[in-house]
Amino acid sequence: MKIYRSEDCDADLVKAKRVAIVGYGSQGHAHALNLRDSGVRDVAVALREGSASRARAEAAGFPVMGNAEAAEWADLVMVLAPDEEQAAIWSHDLAGHMRPGSALAFAHGLNVHFGLIRPPAYLDVILIAPKGPGRALRRDYLRGSGLPCLVAVHQESAAGGNGHALALALSYADALGGGRVGILETSFREECETDLFGEQAVLCGGIPLLIRAGFETLVEAGYAPEMAYFECLHEVKLIVDLLHDGGLAAMGLAISNTAEFGGLVTGPRLVTEETRAEMRRVLADIQAGRFVKRFVLENQAGAPELAASRAAARAHPIEVVGETLRAMMRGTSVVDKPPPQS
Ligand code: NAD
Ligand code: MG
């Protein structure tokens, strides 16, 4: 993979643009603030009528516009509304309002790659995807570092020289702080399909279900839920920190020989050839657009499966015991716990 750093990027390209950030959530606030602190003078935030994010964007000193107004004003529109809202935002508010030669940007390739948004040829369509949540993007930037960023070009308009869309994406990624650590060039397809696969097979599908099944197995066998919570959920962080800092081999060295040998004996009993075959089918569902089709239908129906799964997750015994133990570790009690994060 091609990896770029600040010295490979032209910092002036994005500074010369009027940049509209659509949405002021996790990614939106960090993009807007980092761009401004990197010297991009014209940064505006675009929100729908009555948005709860409006007060925060204004308090941070950004002009706030409607989406269509921002699309007319901007040279570069970065779409950072939720993925399931983007196709409607595009067709109602942005399409037809953006000037030829301007750039439409995303932090996730899903809508463009699966054809839910089909931008006209007169726009540059680029991807700038920081590898982490907005809070980390902002925090690391303020520390003088940054998050690695992915960049990609879906299409380049005829206006401007060959390669101008990639150069603009690199300039934007550098202004986010990505050039301080590394900017990796990929494609919309690769970013989108690997991102969906990783979150489904490993991060948000695999790991949480493995935790829950381990917890349930111990509790059903008569062990204390507190013990099961510590062993199957709490200690995940210790392992993940080791993995994150040093990779699989370093994790193996840091844990006890007992734990290492136990993992060696039992891992292949859980992740079997059948698990791998299912992973390949999961990937095939993603590649063929079957997953995204299901996600679109779920949202059209008002997200009933998500609502039911969230309710069930909250009621699960692992949450009940976890709430008490987390309060204990914070030195508070469940009664005076802080309000839930919005
Ligand atoms: P978010 O839910 O935190 O924020 C969404 C924002 O969009 C909110 O401010 C909301 O008010 C606003 N919004 C909703 N509807 C709108 C509309 N019609 N018009 C204008 N604004 C509207 O979302 P997020 O997590 O920041 O995700 C944004 C994009 O970034 C997605 O494409 C996501 O895949 C991508 N991304 C997210 C992360 C992450 O860790 N959160 C990381 C990389 C990429
Ligand atoms: Mg991801």
Side-chain angles (χ1 to χ4, degrees):
M1 273 186 104
K2 192 130 198 229
I3 301 184
Y4 302 85
R5 295 183 55 91
S6 289
E7 54 268 28
D8 309 309
C9 305
D10 182 349
D12 291 335
L13 293 178
V14 69
K15 286 187 197 169
K17 303 288 185 192
R18 292 171 165 190
V19 180
I21 307 288
V22 178
Y24 199 73
S26 170
Q27 289 290 315
H29 89 285
H31 283 235
L33 291 165
N34 289 10
L35 289 174
R36 184 172 68 189
D37 290 352
S38 292
V40 184
R41 276 190 304 274
D42 290 320
V43 180
V45 170
L47 293 168
R48 70 198 144 168
E49 267 316 290
S51 169
S53 306
R54 183 181 188 107
R56 285 195 307 127
E58 282 177 347
F62 294 110
V64 175
M65 307 178 180
N67 293 337
E69 183 192 354
E72 277 159 18
W73 170 83
D75 307 305
L76 190 164
V77 176
M78 169 55 91
V79 182
L80 296 174
D83 294 309
E84 65 274 19
E85 307 282 344
Q86 291 182 7
I89 292 174
W90 164 255
S91 59
H92 297 158
D93 303 340
L94 305 179
H97 291 276
M98 291 182 65
R99 276 177 280 108
S102 50
L104 180 63
F106 297 87
H108 183 30
L110 187 144
N111 280 277
V112 168
H113 174 60
F114 286 108
L116 304 172
I117 293 177
R118 296 178 188 276
Y122 60 73
L123 297 179
D124 293 329
V125 180
I126 56 179
L127 175 88
I128 302 104
K131 291 314 290 171
R135 212 154 22 122
L137 181 62
R138 182 61 181 157
R139 182 198 60 208
D140 286 13
Y141 180 91
L142 288 174
R143 287 178 182 161
S145 179
L147 290 186
C149 271
L150 305 179
V151 293
V153 175
H154 174 71
Q155 67 184 43
E156 178 169 76
S157 76
N162 217 355
H164 74 270
L166 177 63
L168 179 58
L170 287 170
S171 182
Y172 186 112
D174 187 40
L176 290 184
R180 297 165 175 176
V181 285
I183 305 170
L184 291 77
E185 187 182 348
T186 181
S187 63
F188 273 62
R189 171 174 181 263
E190 185 176 52
E191 183 277 335
C192 178
E193 294 177 356
T194 57
D195 188 74
L196 292 172
F197 179 80
E199 61 203 17
Q200 292 178 27
V202 180
L203 306 173
C204 312
I207 292 175
L209 256 80
L210 204 54
I211 291 171
R212 205 157 70 190
F215 175 89
E216 288 169 355
T217 303
L218 286 177
V219 172
E220 277 163 24
Y223 296 99
E226 289 81 358
M227 297 296 286
Y229 181 88
F230 276 119
E231 297 306 330
C232 298
L233 188 151
H234 181 73
E235 292 194 18
V236 169
K237 174 155 170 44
L238 311 179
I239 297 300
V240 168
D241 284 348
L242 292 169
L243 291 172
H244 189 265
D245 293 346
L248 289 163
M251 186 274 288
L253 292 178
I255 61 182
S256 70
N257 289 338
T258 325
E260 191 179 2
F261 185 69
L264 163 84
V265 167
T266 297
R269 294 174 63 180
L270 296 173
V271 181
T272 61
E273 194 39 55
E274 180 46 31
T275 316
R276 290 169 193 274
E278 196 59 39
M279 282 192 177
R280 289 190 285 270
R281 288 190 283 272
V282 166
L283 183 58
D285 281 346
I286 291 168
Q287 290 167 330
R290 287 187 289 271
F291 166 74
V292 166
K293 191 167 175 197
R294 225 183 123 173
F295 184 54
V296 168
L297 290 173
E298 162 79 358
N299 284 303
Q300 283 170 353
E305 288 193 60
L306 268 175
S309 142
R310 285 171 187 156
R314 276 194 300 276
H316 192 278
I318 202 169
E319 283 304 317
V320 180
V321 66
E323 198 174 6
T324 307
L325 291 176
R326 289 191 298 269
M328 176 191 89
M329 289 181 275
R330 279 196 305 269
T332 58
S333 77
V334 181
V335 184
D336 52 50
K337 72 181 163 124
Q341 301 269 310
S342 64

mmCIF file of all heavy atoms in Angstrom, residues 22-28 46-48 51-53 56 67 79-83 85-86 89 93 107-108 129-130 132-134, ligand 1:
data_model
loop_
_atom_site.group_PDB
_atom_site.id
_atom_site.type_symbol
_atom_site.label_atom_id
_atom_site.label_comp_id
_atom_site.label_asym_id
_atom_site.label_seq_id
_atom_site.Cartn_x
_atom_site.Cartn_y
_atom_site.Cartn_z
ATOM 1 N N VAL A 22 -21.064 18.389 6.756
ATOM 2 C CA VAL A 22 -22.475 18.036 6.979
ATOM 3 C C VAL A 22 -22.560 17.105 8.178
ATOM 4 O O VAL A 22 -22.070 15.979 8.144
ATOM 5 C CB VAL A 22 -23.085 17.363 5.736
ATOM 6 C CG1 VAL A 22 -24.540 16.972 6.010
ATOM 7 C CG2 VAL A 22 -22.991 18.284 4.533
ATOM 8 N N GLY A 23 -23.148 17.604 9.268
ATOM 9 C CA GLY A 23 -23.240 16.811 10.504
ATOM 10 C C GLY A 23 -22.160 17.251 11.477
ATOM 11 O O GLY A 23 -21.027 17.551 11.081
ATOM 12 N N TYR A 24 -22.525 17.311 12.752
ATOM 13 C CA TYR A 24 -21.565 17.754 13.778
ATOM 14 C C TYR A 24 -21.597 16.758 14.929
ATOM 15 O O TYR A 24 -21.760 17.109 16.094
ATOM 16 C CB TYR A 24 -21.919 19.172 14.244
ATOM 17 C CG TYR A 24 -20.777 19.892 14.932
ATOM 18 C CD1 TYR A 24 -19.693 20.369 14.201
ATOM 19 C CD2 TYR A 24 -20.792 20.096 16.307
ATOM 20 C CE1 TYR A 24 -18.650 21.035 14.823
ATOM 21 C CE2 TYR A 24 -19.751 20.763 16.948
ATOM 22 C CZ TYR A 24 -18.686 21.229 16.196
ATOM 23 O OH TYR A 24 -17.645 21.888 16.821
ATOM 24 N N GLY A 25 -21.423 15.468 14.581
ATOM 25 C CA GLY A 25 -21.402 14.419 15.593
ATOM 26 C C GLY A 25 -19.977 14.006 15.882
ATOM 27 O O GLY A 25 -19.067 14.851 15.945
ATOM 28 N N SER A 26 -19.775 12.688 16.033
ATOM 29 C CA SER A 26 -18.467 12.158 16.384
ATOM 30 C C SER A 26 -17.384 12.636 15.403
ATOM 31 O O SER A 26 -16.427 13.302 15.797
ATOM 32 C CB SER A 26 -18.550 10.622 16.418
ATOM 33 O OG SER A 26 -17.272 10.056 16.527
ATOM 34 N N GLN A 27 -17.556 12.329 14.130
ATOM 35 C CA GLN A 27 -16.550 12.731 13.141
ATOM 36 C C GLN A 27 -16.642 14.231 12.837
ATOM 37 O O GLN A 27 -15.622 14.913 12.723
ATOM 38 C CB GLN A 27 -16.734 11.952 11.835
ATOM 39 C CG GLN A 27 -16.348 10.494 11.923
ATOM 40 C CD GLN A 27 -14.856 10.288 12.071
ATOM 41 O OE1 GLN A 27 -14.034 10.898 11.378
ATOM 42 N NE2 GLN A 27 -14.470 9.446 12.995
ATOM 43 N N GLY A 28 -17.861 14.744 12.684
ATOM 44 C CA GLY A 28 -18.045 16.111 12.209
ATOM 45 C C GLY A 28 -17.326 17.152 13.054
ATOM 46 O O GLY A 28 -16.627 18.015 12.526
ATOM 47 N N ALA A 46 -22.985 22.197 8.272
ATOM 48 C CA ALA A 46 -24.335 22.099 7.706
ATOM 49 C C ALA A 46 -25.166 21.139 8.545
ATOM 50 O O ALA A 46 -24.723 20.031 8.839
ATOM 51 C CB ALA A 46 -24.268 21.614 6.260
ATOM 52 N N LEU A 47 -26.354 21.590 8.945
ATOM 53 C CA LEU A 47 -27.250 20.768 9.768
ATOM 54 C C LEU A 47 -28.677 20.944 9.281
ATOM 55 O O LEU A 47 -29.015 21.937 8.631
ATOM 56 C CB LEU A 47 -27.142 21.183 11.239
ATOM 57 C CG LEU A 47 -25.802 20.902 11.925
ATOM 58 C CD1 LEU A 47 -25.722 21.618 13.270
ATOM 59 C CD2 LEU A 47 -25.604 19.397 12.112
ATOM 60 N N ARG A 48 -29.508 19.946 9.609
ATOM 61 C CA ARG A 48 -30.922 20.100 9.262
ATOM 62 C C ARG A 48 -31.578 21.035 10.275
ATOM 63 O O ARG A 48 -31.045 21.267 11.365
ATOM 64 C CB ARG A 48 -31.601 18.732 9.230
ATOM 65 C CG ARG A 48 -31.742 18.152 10.611
ATOM 66 C CD ARG A 48 -31.982 16.689 10.661
ATOM 67 N NE ARG A 48 -31.241 16.234 11.855
ATOM 68 C CZ ARG A 48 -31.338 15.065 12.415
ATOM 69 N NH1 ARG A 48 -32.071 14.160 11.881
ATOM 70 N NH2 ARG A 48 -30.662 14.775 13.498
ATOM 71 N N SER A 51 -31.662 20.895 14.448
ATOM 72 C CA SER A 51 -30.683 19.892 14.882
ATOM 73 C C SER A 51 -30.180 20.174 16.296
ATOM 74 O O SER A 51 -29.898 21.323 16.649
ATOM 75 C CB SER A 51 -29.498 19.882 13.920
ATOM 76 O OG SER A 51 -28.453 19.123 14.468
ATOM 77 N N ALA A 52 -30.060 19.104 17.072
ATOM 78 C CA ALA A 52 -29.559 19.244 18.442
ATOM 79 C C ALA A 52 -28.074 19.618 18.446
ATOM 80 O O ALA A 52 -27.552 20.098 19.447
ATOM 81 C CB ALA A 52 -29.778 17.930 19.196
ATOM 82 N N SER A 53 -27.382 19.396 17.325
ATOM 83 C CA SER A 53 -25.950 19.703 17.262
ATOM 84 C C SER A 53 -25.676 21.189 17.008
ATOM 85 O O SER A 53 -24.543 21.649 17.131
ATOM 86 C CB SER A 53 -25.288 18.896 16.132
ATOM 87 O OG SER A 53 -25.546 17.519 16.263
ATOM 88 N N ARG A 56 -23.872 23.376 19.682
ATOM 89 C CA ARG A 56 -22.455 23.050 19.883
ATOM 90 C C ARG A 56 -21.591 23.596 18.750
ATOM 91 O O ARG A 56 -20.493 24.092 18.984
ATOM 92 C CB ARG A 56 -22.271 21.524 19.989
ATOM 93 C CG ARG A 56 -22.740 20.968 21.330
ATOM 94 C CD ARG A 56 -22.211 19.556 21.554
ATOM 95 N NE ARG A 56 -22.536 18.696 20.409
ATOM 96 C CZ ARG A 56 -21.657 17.966 19.737
ATOM 97 N NH1 ARG A 56 -20.396 17.954 20.098
ATOM 98 N NH2 ARG A 56 -22.046 17.225 18.723
ATOM 99 N N ASN A 67 -28.278 22.329 4.622
ATOM 100 C CA ASN A 67 -27.459 21.493 3.734
ATOM 101 C C ASN A 67 -27.383 22.056 2.309
ATOM 102 O O ASN A 67 -26.301 22.098 1.711
ATOM 103 C CB ASN A 67 -28.029 20.074 3.673
ATOM 104 C CG ASN A 67 -27.895 19.346 5.001
ATOM 105 O OD1 ASN A 67 -27.039 19.679 5.824
ATOM 106 N ND2 ASN A 67 -28.749 18.349 5.224
ATOM 107 N N VAL A 79 -19.462 14.762 3.923
ATOM 108 C CA VAL A 79 -20.729 14.247 4.437
ATOM 109 C C VAL A 79 -20.465 13.376 5.671
ATOM 110 O O VAL A 79 -19.953 12.259 5.565
ATOM 111 C CB VAL A 79 -21.473 13.437 3.355
ATOM 112 C CG1 VAL A 79 -22.823 12.957 3.891
ATOM 113 C CG2 VAL A 79 -21.659 14.280 2.094
ATOM 114 N N LEU A 80 -20.805 13.916 6.843
ATOM 115 C CA LEU A 80 -20.552 13.207 8.103
ATOM 116 C C LEU A 80 -21.828 13.041 8.914
ATOM 117 O O LEU A 80 -21.811 13.036 10.141
ATOM 118 C CB LEU A 80 -19.458 13.928 8.908
ATOM 119 C CG LEU A 80 -18.086 13.938 8.207
ATOM 120 C CD1 LEU A 80 -17.093 14.787 8.981
ATOM 121 C CD2 LEU A 80 -17.561 12.528 8.017
ATOM 122 N N ALA A 81 -22.919 12.904 8.214
ATOM 123 C CA ALA A 81 -24.185 12.488 8.839
ATOM 124 C C ALA A 81 -24.161 10.962 8.922
ATOM 125 O O ALA A 81 -23.320 10.315 8.295
ATOM 126 C CB ALA A 81 -25.354 12.987 7.994
ATOM 127 N N PRO A 82 -25.070 10.352 9.695
ATOM 128 C CA PRO A 82 -25.085 8.885 9.777
ATOM 129 C C PRO A 82 -25.229 8.257 8.385
ATOM 130 O O PRO A 82 -25.928 8.793 7.524
ATOM 131 C CB PRO A 82 -26.312 8.593 10.645
ATOM 132 C CG PRO A 82 -26.539 9.841 11.437
ATOM 133 C CD PRO A 82 -26.113 10.966 10.552
ATOM 134 N N ASP A 83 -24.606 7.093 8.180
ATOM 135 C CA ASP A 83 -24.612 6.442 6.870
ATOM 136 C C ASP A 83 -26.031 6.244 6.338
ATOM 137 O O ASP A 83 -26.274 6.419 5.143
ATOM 138 C CB ASP A 83 -23.895 5.089 6.959
ATOM 139 C CG ASP A 83 -22.416 5.269 7.265
ATOM 140 O OD1 ASP A 83 -21.757 6.059 6.559
ATOM 141 O OD2 ASP A 83 -21.925 4.642 8.218
ATOM 142 N N GLU A 85 -28.593 8.016 6.700
ATOM 143 C CA GLU A 85 -29.264 9.272 6.310
ATOM 144 C C GLU A 85 -28.684 9.848 5.026
ATOM 145 O O GLU A 85 -29.265 10.758 4.423
ATOM 146 C CB GLU A 85 -29.088 10.344 7.412
ATOM 147 C CG GLU A 85 -29.485 9.933 8.809
ATOM 148 C CD GLU A 85 -30.981 9.963 9.008
ATOM 149 O OE1 GLU A 85 -31.694 10.575 8.195
ATOM 150 O OE2 GLU A 85 -31.437 9.325 9.984
ATOM 151 N N GLN A 86 -27.514 9.370 4.616
ATOM 152 C CA GLN A 86 -26.753 10.086 3.586
ATOM 153 C C GLN A 86 -27.421 10.087 2.211
ATOM 154 O O GLN A 86 -27.365 11.088 1.501
ATOM 155 C CB GLN A 86 -25.335 9.515 3.492
ATOM 156 C CG GLN A 86 -24.507 9.834 4.744
ATOM 157 C CD GLN A 86 -23.088 9.317 4.651
ATOM 158 O OE1 GLN A 86 -22.649 8.822 3.609
ATOM 159 N NE2 GLN A 86 -22.336 9.420 5.746
ATOM 160 N N ILE A 89 -30.066 12.728 2.235
ATOM 161 C CA ILE A 89 -29.442 14.056 2.270
ATOM 162 C C ILE A 89 -28.911 14.409 0.886
ATOM 163 O O ILE A 89 -29.080 15.528 0.391
ATOM 164 C CB ILE A 89 -28.306 14.094 3.321
ATOM 165 C CG1 ILE A 89 -28.890 13.967 4.733
ATOM 166 C CG2 ILE A 89 -27.471 15.360 3.180
ATOM 167 C CD1 ILE A 89 -27.838 13.841 5.824
ATOM 168 N N ASP A 93 -30.969 17.377 -0.631
ATOM 169 C CA ASP A 93 -30.323 18.639 -0.254
ATOM 170 C C ASP A 93 -29.068 18.992 -1.066
ATOM 171 O O ASP A 93 -28.742 20.166 -1.205
ATOM 172 C CB ASP A 93 -29.897 18.599 1.228
ATOM 173 C CG ASP A 93 -31.044 18.318 2.175
ATOM 174 O OD1 ASP A 93 -32.208 18.522 1.770
ATOM 175 O OD2 ASP A 93 -30.782 17.905 3.318
ATOM 176 N N ALA A 107 -16.402 9.877 4.801
ATOM 177 C CA ALA A 107 -15.466 9.205 5.707
ATOM 178 C C ALA A 107 -15.721 7.706 5.738
ATOM 179 O O ALA A 107 -15.102 6.984 6.516
ATOM 180 C CB ALA A 107 -15.570 9.793 7.114
ATOM 181 N N HIS A 108 -16.663 7.252 4.922
ATOM 182 C CA HIS A 108 -16.950 5.818 4.785
ATOM 183 C C HIS A 108 -17.536 5.625 3.387
ATOM 184 O O HIS A 108 -18.384 6.413 2.964
ATOM 185 C CB HIS A 108 -17.925 5.383 5.883
ATOM 186 C CG HIS A 108 -18.243 3.917 5.889
ATOM 187 N ND1 HIS A 108 -17.358 2.943 5.457
ATOM 188 C CD2 HIS A 108 -19.365 3.255 6.275
ATOM 189 C CE1 HIS A 108 -17.921 1.744 5.596
ATOM 190 N NE2 HIS A 108 -19.135 1.907 6.089
ATOM 191 N N ALA A 129 -10.924 8.851 5.486
ATOM 192 C CA ALA A 129 -11.465 8.092 6.611
ATOM 193 C C ALA A 129 -10.413 7.924 7.697
ATOM 194 O O ALA A 129 -9.515 7.096 7.581
ATOM 195 C CB ALA A 129 -11.947 6.721 6.136
ATOM 196 N N PRO A 130 -10.520 8.712 8.767
ATOM 197 C CA PRO A 130 -9.613 8.523 9.902
ATOM 198 C C PRO A 130 -9.894 7.175 10.554
ATOM 199 O O PRO A 130 -11.047 6.771 10.645
ATOM 200 C CB PRO A 130 -9.972 9.666 10.857
ATOM 201 C CG PRO A 130 -10.841 10.594 10.077
ATOM 202 C CD PRO A 130 -11.498 9.784 9.008
ATOM 203 N N GLY A 132 -10.462 5.846 13.432
ATOM 204 C CA GLY A 132 -10.838 5.940 14.836
ATOM 205 C C GLY A 132 -11.976 6.911 15.026
ATOM 206 O O GLY A 132 -12.335 7.655 14.099
ATOM 207 N N PRO A 133 -12.575 6.907 16.212
ATOM 208 C CA PRO A 133 -13.689 7.813 16.475
ATOM 209 C C PRO A 133 -13.243 9.272 16.553
ATOM 210 O O PRO A 133 -12.060 9.567 16.743
ATOM 211 C CB PRO A 133 -14.223 7.328 17.823
ATOM 212 C CG PRO A 133 -13.116 6.587 18.457
ATOM 213 C CD PRO A 133 -12.260 6.043 17.349
ATOM 214 N N GLY A 134 -14.221 10.173 16.420
ATOM 215 C CA GLY A 134 -13.916 11.592 16.380
ATOM 216 C C GLY A 134 -13.200 12.102 17.622
ATOM 217 O O GLY A 134 -12.332 12.971 17.535
HETATM 218 P P1 NAD B 1 -22.810 10.714 14.394
HETATM 219 O O1 NAD B 1 -24.081 9.959 14.545
HETATM 220 O O2 NAD B 1 -21.898 10.846 15.555
HETATM 221 O O3 NAD B 1 -23.124 12.194 13.904
HETATM 222 C C1 NAD B 1 -24.018 12.465 12.866
HETATM 223 C C2 NAD B 1 -24.296 13.939 12.769
HETATM 224 O O4 NAD B 1 -25.115 14.158 11.597
HETATM 225 C C3 NAD B 1 -25.054 14.543 13.945
HETATM 226 O O5 NAD B 1 -24.501 15.812 14.239
HETATM 227 C C4 NAD B 1 -26.469 14.725 13.389
HETATM 228 O O6 NAD B 1 -27.141 15.818 13.978
HETATM 229 C C5 NAD B 1 -26.176 15.034 11.929
HETATM 230 N N1 NAD B 1 -27.279 14.790 11.018
HETATM 231 C C6 NAD B 1 -28.238 13.823 11.076
HETATM 232 N N2 NAD B 1 -29.111 13.985 10.066
HETATM 233 C C7 NAD B 1 -28.686 15.058 9.355
HETATM 234 C C8 NAD B 1 -29.192 15.741 8.213
HETATM 235 N N3 NAD B 1 -30.305 15.347 7.584
HETATM 236 N N4 NAD B 1 -28.508 16.806 7.757
HETATM 237 C C9 NAD B 1 -27.382 17.225 8.365
HETATM 238 N N5 NAD B 1 -26.870 16.640 9.466
HETATM 239 C C10 NAD B 1 -27.524 15.568 9.951
HETATM 240 O O7 NAD B 1 -22.064 10.045 13.125
HETATM 241 P P2 NAD B 1 -20.485 9.681 12.993
HETATM 242 O O8 NAD B 1 -20.176 8.487 13.846
HETATM 243 O O9 NAD B 1 -19.680 10.933 13.128
HETATM 244 O O10 NAD B 1 -20.433 9.148 11.478
HETATM 245 C C11 NAD B 1 -20.387 10.038 10.375
HETATM 246 C C12 NAD B 1 -19.673 9.350 9.211
HETATM 247 O O11 NAD B 1 -18.337 9.062 9.599
HETATM 248 C C13 NAD B 1 -20.286 8.007 8.801
HETATM 249 O O12 NAD B 1 -20.147 7.891 7.397
HETATM 250 C C14 NAD B 1 -19.409 7.000 9.505
HETATM 251 O O13 NAD B 1 -19.389 5.729 8.847
HETATM 252 C C15 NAD B 1 -18.066 7.698 9.379
HETATM 253 N N6 NAD B 1 -17.050 7.263 10.342
HETATM 254 C C16 NAD B 1 -17.343 7.174 11.671
HETATM 255 C C17 NAD B 1 -16.360 6.779 12.569
HETATM 256 C C18 NAD B 1 -16.655 6.682 14.053
HETATM 257 O O14 NAD B 1 -15.869 6.054 14.755
HETATM 258 N N7 NAD B 1 -17.719 7.277 14.577
HETATM 259 C C19 NAD B 1 -15.061 6.500 12.110
HETATM 260 C C20 NAD B 1 -14.773 6.639 10.751
HETATM 261 C C21 NAD B 1 -15.784 7.019 9.882
#
